[in-house]
Amino acid sequence: MIRQFLTYGNTFCAVEHTVDHNSSDVFYVLQLKKIKKELAISSKDQFSSKPELFQHLKSQKHLFLIINNQQVLLKKVDVIVNEEDAVKAAFPNIKISDFYYEVSKNNEQSFVAICRKTYIDNLITEHQSKGLAVIGFSLQNLALTSLIPFLKQSEIETSNSSISFSDKMIHEIKKNDFEATEYNINDLNISNRFVLSLSGILSYFYNNIRNKSNFDTVEKELKTQYNNHRFNTLGLKTALGIIFSILLINFIFFSSAHSKMTLLNKEV
């Protein structure tokens, strides 16, 4: 817990990049704050442009990305043990090395989501240029895997899909447009529009087992970069704090000694 606090502080954030029914960009931002041992909603906001999004997040140091727009393709195939073979079965004509993929399986099927590496890499770089460290990402609606253990129902709506599941596994994803629906998940009142963002936060807050993907090493490198920056910053602040404390103590002793010397001089 102490390491988690030193790493992330007490505020956790995830942003879903998606589109509305007019194919216009929409960004759903969820921020949770850790109070004692529980997570509480700090803010939940919706934006239609990146400048608005980045302005809102200027004080946030790290976040998890959900890419759930037209740049991501999703297909369902009969279950295949090897993830790369599942990708080839779902998208036989693509060059796999050009894509990031994520695979969620149940006992009968595999859900395969893909997105071009260049798009995600540029998106991460864009966030980093605004001082926002991306520590992980997930494709389409597959991030929901991290949330399933906390759900009592067998179906839930996200910003653009209806997801049904059983035995802690996704069984169906149906694309659709929905009105805002409220859920109570582990004592958090949350709209369906922020369900995937909540899933993203839980995936790194609890360090849950995630879906299989080919970007594990990318996420490890992102976390390493963030951790190095975080601990270097904390180390610098700690060092400056120690130096300031030493100077303050010296000043107090000097002032006390000077006052006594002045008093003695007056007595003499």
Side-chain angles (χ1 to χ4, degrees), residues 16 26 28-30 32 41 43-46 141 144 147 151 153 156-161 178-185 187-199:
E16 179 186 354
V26 181
Y28 294 114
V29 183
L30 179 66
L32 300 183
I41 294 175
S43 69
K44 47 184 178 180
D45 298 276
Q46 173 182 336
N141 283 267
L144 194 74
L147 186 62
L151 299 176
Q153 64 269 43
I156 195 170
E157 295 172 1
T158 64
S159 59
N160 63 5
S161 298
F178 302 99
E179 297 296 326
T181 302
E182 289 289 324
Y183 295 101
N184 184 280
I185 302 174
D187 294 329
L188 290 176
N189 291 320
I190 198 85
S191 163
N192 60 307
R193 305 191 191 284
F194 300 96
V195 161
L196 290 178
S197 296
L198 176 60
S199 301

Side-chain angles (χ1 to χ4, degrees), residues 15-238:
V15 181
E16 179 186 354
H17 288 236
T18 187
V19 294
D20 60 18
H21 60 280
N22 294 319
S23 297
S24 299
D25 288 337
V26 181
F27 307 97
Y28 294 114
V29 183
L30 179 66
Q31 292 172 299
L32 300 183
K33 189 171 184 178
K34 186 178 180 182
I35 301 175
K36 294 182 179 179
K37 294 184 179 181
E38 297 181 350
L39 291 173
I41 294 175
S42 176
S43 69
K44 47 184 178 180
D45 298 276
Q46 173 182 336
F47 301 98
S48 57
S49 71
K50 286 182 180 177
E52 289 179 319
L53 172 68
F54 293 141
Q55 177 64 25
H56 175 76
L57 292 173
K58 61 183 180 181
S59 62
Q60 181 68 40
K61 300 304 180 184
H62 60 83
L63 55 84
F64 189 95
L65 282 181
I66 306 291
I67 299 101
N68 187 22
N69 53 25
Q70 67 273 23
Q71 298 292 331
V72 183
L73 300 178
L74 177 76
K75 282 190 178 181
K76 179 174 63 175
V77 296
D78 291 338
V79 67
I80 300 175
V81 175
N82 183 277
E83 287 75 29
E84 188 168 319
D85 289 340
V87 177
K88 290 177 181 178
F91 303 97
N93 298 319
I94 69 167
K95 185 179 178 181
I96 293 182
S97 60
D98 291 340
F99 290 82
Y100 288 127
Y101 64 76
E102 184 174 355
V103 181
S104 177
K105 299 178 182 178
N106 58 43
N107 295 326
E108 299 174 351
Q109 302 158 323
S110 293
F111 294 89
V112 182
I114 63 170
C115 185
R116 285 196 174 274
K117 289 182 177 180
T118 52
Y119 175 77
I120 294 180
D121 291 342
N122 289 337
L123 196 62
I124 292 172
T125 301
E126 186 177 12
H127 282 73
Q128 290 174 333
S129 70
K130 303 298 180 181
L132 299 167
V134 176
I135 59 171
F137 59 91
S138 184
L139 305 179
Q140 230 262 359
N141 283 267
L142 301 187
L144 194 74
T145 302
S146 300
L147 186 62
I148 290 177
F150 300 92
L151 299 176
K152 297 178 181 178
Q153 64 269 43
S154 60
E155 185 172 342
I156 195 170
E157 295 172 1
T158 64
S159 59
N160 63 5
S161 298
S162 174
I163 318 293
S164 59
F165 44 88
S166 63
D167 299 325
K168 308 297 182 183
M169 294 177 287
I170 296 174
H171 271 254
E172 191 62 66
I173 301 177
K174 295 180 180 178
K175 295 279 286 184
N176 211 333
D177 293 319
F178 302 99
E179 297 296 326
T181 302
E182 289 289 324
Y183 295 101
N184 184 280
I185 302 174
N186 209 32
D187 294 329
L188 290 176
N189 291 320
I190 198 85
S191 163
N192 60 307
R193 305 191 191 284
F194 300 96
V195 161
L196 290 178
S197 296
L198 176 60
S199 301
I201 290 175
L202 294 180
S203 71
Y204 78 94
F205 178 81
Y206 289 109
N207 198 24
N208 285 350
I209 296 175
R210 297 265 308 281
N211 298 316
K212 298 296 184 180
S213 71
N214 67 337
F215 47 82
D216 288 344
T217 54
V218 176
E219 289 190 319
K220 288 179 181 178
E221 178 60 28
L222 289 172
K223 288 181 179 178
T224 298
Q225 291 176 5
Y226 169 74
N227 288 340
N228 290 341
H229 176 74
R230 171 75 173 174
F231 288 113
N232 286 340
T233 301
L234 286 176
L236 178 61
K237 288 181 178 179
T238 301

